Amino acid sequence: MRPLILITNDDGVNAKGIRTLTDVAMEFGDVVVMAPILNASGKSHSLTSERPLRVNDIKKSPELSIYACDGTPVDCIKLAVEYFCPRRPNLVLSGINHGSNSSINVLYSGTMGAVIEATALDIDAIGFSLLNHNPEADFSSSLPYVRHIIDKVLKDGLPDNVSLNVNIPRLPAKDIKGIRICHEAKARWLDSFVQRTDPLGRPYWWLTGKFECINPPESSDEWALANGYVSVVPTCPDFTHYESINKLKHLAL
């Protein structure tokens, strides 16, 4: 029996990135796609609890079923695993995202929220992102790396409680140097809000910001991407900083 691969994203079910990822995944197994109807970027690990979820069937066949959900990427994973997959998925894929999810962006990413949810459900999961926000981005240079990583994970699996955050530089195929296993670079968004007034005279605020990452080390994802490598960062749902447990024992009563 061919593996079952569940796919979602946060750019929406009609995004070019998820169509590209679906085509690649079908080379490896049967595919179920459940993705948000609309763009859900920046939803992180949010889920829908204040209203019911609705799902539209787009395509149904033994090899490929596609569903559009009016919830978040995490909603899509939870709902698809429980109700829409014919059996438990062997692998969850998210993406290919239009834009970076490296460094601190993983905290805000709906793409990676879905991946971490799958990991919490004990399903191997990978998030793919291309550093190109264009809706018509060219994903061709990323495909050899997407294929390679899917193949290796299906064959070898991942460590318990670990998923992969894969970011691919915006470069021609000939200029990508390979894959590096990295840690997240220390970075932040210097957020600000632009205040404006709508036609009715009411004020509103629009989020803007500048990404700041100063001198990332060679072991980090930001260095890898800036130097022509695909970055692969192992991630997990456990936010515990284990090195600090003993240092903070003095707080215990």
Side-chain angles (χ1 to χ4, degrees), residues 189-193 206-211:
W189 280 95
L190 302 176
D191 294 329
S192 62
F193 291 86
W206 196 274
L207 177 65
T208 64
K210 179 181 178 182
F211 183 70

Side-chain angles (χ1 to χ4, degrees), residues 10 42-45 97 101 105-114 129:
D10 69 1
K43 295 294 185 182
S44 185
H45 212 97
N97 191 65
N101 279 314
N105 295 301
V106 71
L107 292 179
Y108 310 111
S109 168
T111 301
M112 288 305 298
S129 301

